[in-house]
Amino acid sequence: MSRNNESANNVVIERSFNAPIELIWKMWSDPEHFRAWYGPQGATIPVAEFDVRVGGRRFVGMEMSTPNGPMRMWFTGEHLAVNEPNQLAYSEAMSDENGNVQSPSSMGMPEGHPTTTEVRVDLGVTGELTTMVLTHVGIPAGSPGEMGWNMALDKLATYVDHADVGDN
């Protein structure tokens, strides 16, 4: 597979934050902080359970209002890499509220959507900024998934800029 085709099948988003790398790490690894920013605009995260170690479980519940009424989505996975504060990687699959993996088609996803994807978060420091490269393997560039990530990362930037975040 060529690099261009590989890139087309993955969402890759780069962001910089005027915050210490340890704080950005905490945004991804601390469920309380994660609930505050994750998901597209209008989504809430009532459930975020993380066992942040290689092989540790992740379980996230997201709620959103849609034109057809409220919608709940559940995601389960496991941590694949935990290298604090530089790298976090985890698998992700749609699930029911008990964490049982569901087929993408049964959840209304298009044909060909993978059952399990991988999210990689790579953090670094450039000058006084923390740089982040988010890669979501298996979600096509330009897809609604990429739009959702961009909305979530906008929420993350706003949350990090909030004065009290560093105290938690």
Side-chain angles (χ1 to χ4, degrees), residues 81-152:
V82 178
N83 299 305
E84 185 176 349
N86 298 104
Q87 182 189 48
L88 185 70
Y90 57 90
S91 64
E92 184 171 80
M94 298 180 90
S95 71
D96 64 17
E97 65 275 5
N98 298 312
N100 300 306
V101 173
Q102 302 294 299
S103 73
S105 60
S106 73
M107 304 300 288
M109 300 306 288
E111 184 68 31
H113 189 285
T115 300
T116 303
T117 62
E118 181 179 335
V119 177
R120 299 179 196 146
V121 180
D122 292 294
L123 302 174
V125 176
T126 303
E128 294 186 20
L129 299 176
T130 297
T131 57
M132 180 190 76
V133 177
L134 170 107
T135 305
H136 197 157
V137 178
I139 301 299
S143 69
E146 181 173 15
M147 186 172 67
W149 273 119
N150 275 305
M151 285 190 273

Side-chain angles (χ1 to χ4, degrees), residues 5-166:
N5 286 342
E6 186 175 312
S7 296
N9 291 321
N10 302 325
V11 169
V12 179
I13 302 171
E14 297 182 31
R15 294 281 180 109
S16 295
F17 301 93
N18 189 13
I21 192 171
E22 295 82 8
L23 180 60
I24 302 304
W25 173 265
K26 193 187 272 190
M27 297 299 109
W28 286 94
S29 62
D30 180 307
E32 180 182 339
H33 288 302
F34 189 82
R35 280 193 298 268
W37 67 266
Y38 183 72
Q41 198 64 39
T44 59
I45 308 302
V47 177
E49 300 170 359
F50 303 158
D51 179 3
V52 184
R53 61 185 172 87
V54 173
R57 182 175 181 255
R58 292 179 55 86
F59 184 60
V60 175
M62 181 178 0
E63 295 179 347
M64 300 175 55
S65 293
T66 71
N68 298 327
M71 179 178 74
R72 284 188 166 184
M73 297 176 73
W74 301 92
F75 303 93
T76 190
E78 79 174 50
H79 288 96
L80 304 172
V82 178
N83 299 305
E84 185 176 349
N86 298 104
Q87 182 189 48
L88 185 70
Y90 57 90
S91 64
E92 184 171 80
M94 298 180 90
S95 71
D96 64 17
E97 65 275 5
N98 298 312
N100 300 306
V101 173
Q102 302 294 299
S103 73
S105 60
S106 73
M107 304 300 288
M109 300 306 288
E111 184 68 31
H113 189 285
T115 300
T116 303
T117 62
E118 181 179 335
V119 177
R120 299 179 196 146
V121 180
D122 292 294
L123 302 174
V125 176
T126 303
E128 294 186 20
L129 299 176
T130 297
T131 57
M132 180 190 76
V133 177
L134 170 107
T135 305
H136 197 157
V137 178
I139 301 299
S143 69
E146 181 173 15
M147 186 172 67
W149 273 119
N150 275 305
M151 285 190 273
L153 296 176
D154 289 345
K155 288 168 52 180
L156 172 59
T158 299
Y159 183 66
V160 167
D161 286 343
H162 188 273
D164 297 334
V165 169

